[in-house]
Coordinates of all heavy atoms in Angstrom, one line a residue:
W23 N -1.1 -16.5 5.9 CA -0.4 -17.7 6.3 C -0.5 -17.9 7.8 O -0.4 -19.0 8.4 CB 1.1 -17.6 5.8 CG 1.9 -18.8 6.2 CD1 1.8 -20.0 5.6 CD2 2.7 -19.0 7.4 NE1 2.7 -20.9 6.2 CE2 3.2 -20.3 7.3 CE3 3.1 -18.1 8.4 CZ2 4.1 -20.7 8.3 CZ3 3.9 -18.6 9.4 CH2 4.4 -19.9 9.3
A33 N -3.2 -6.6 24.9 CA -3.6 -5.7 25.9 C -4.6 -4.6 25.3 O -5.6 -4.2 25.9 CB -2.5 -5.0 26.7
V84 N 6.1 -20.0 19.6 CA 6.3 -19.2 20.8 C 7.3 -18.0 20.5 O 8.4 -18.3 20.0 CB 6.8 -20.0 22.0 CG1 7.0 -19.1 23.2 CG2 5.8 -21.1 22.3
A123 N 20.6 -19.9 18.4 CA 20.2 -20.5 19.6 C 19.1 -21.5 19.4 O 18.8 -22.3 20.2 CB 19.7 -19.4 20.6
Y131 N 12.4 -5.5 13.8 CA 11.4 -4.4 14.0 C 11.8 -3.3 13.1 O 12.5 -2.4 13.4 CB 11.4 -4.0 15.4 CG 10.6 -4.9 16.5 CD1 10.7 -4.6 17.7 CD2 10.0 -6.0 15.9 CE1 10.0 -5.4 18.7 CE2 9.3 -6.8 16.9 CZ 9.3 -6.5 18.2 OH 8.6 -7.4 19.1
H156 N 24.6 -18.7 7.0 CA 24.9 -19.4 8.3 C 23.7 -20.3 8.8 O 23.9 -21.2 9.5 CB 25.2 -18.5 9.4 CG 26.5 -17.7 9.1 ND1 27.7 -18.2 9.1 CD2 26.6 -16.4 8.9 CE1 28.6 -17.3 8.8 NE2 27.9 -16.1 8.7
V163 N 11.0 -13.1 9.3 CA 9.6 -12.6 9.1 C 9.7 -11.2 9.7 O 9.6 -10.9 10.8 CB 8.7 -13.4 10.0 CG1 7.2 -12.8 9.9 CG2 8.7 -14.9 9.6
I190 N -2.2 -1.5 7.4 CA -1.2 -1.6 6.3 C -1.5 -2.6 5.3 O -1.4 -2.3 4.1 CB 0.2 -1.9 6.9 CG1 0.7 -0.9 7.9 CG2 1.2 -2.0 5.8 CD1 0.7 0.5 7.4
L220 N -22.0 -11.2 -16.8 CA -21.7 -11.7 -18.2 C -22.8 -12.5 -18.8 O -23.6 -13.0 -18.1 CB -20.3 -12.6 -18.1 CG -19.1 -11.9 -17.6 CD1 -18.0 -12.9 -17.7 CD2 -18.8 -10.7 -18.7

Side-chain angles (χ1 to χ4, degrees):
W23 184 80
V84 180
Y131 283 174
H156 302 289
V163 181
I190 300 302
L220 296 178

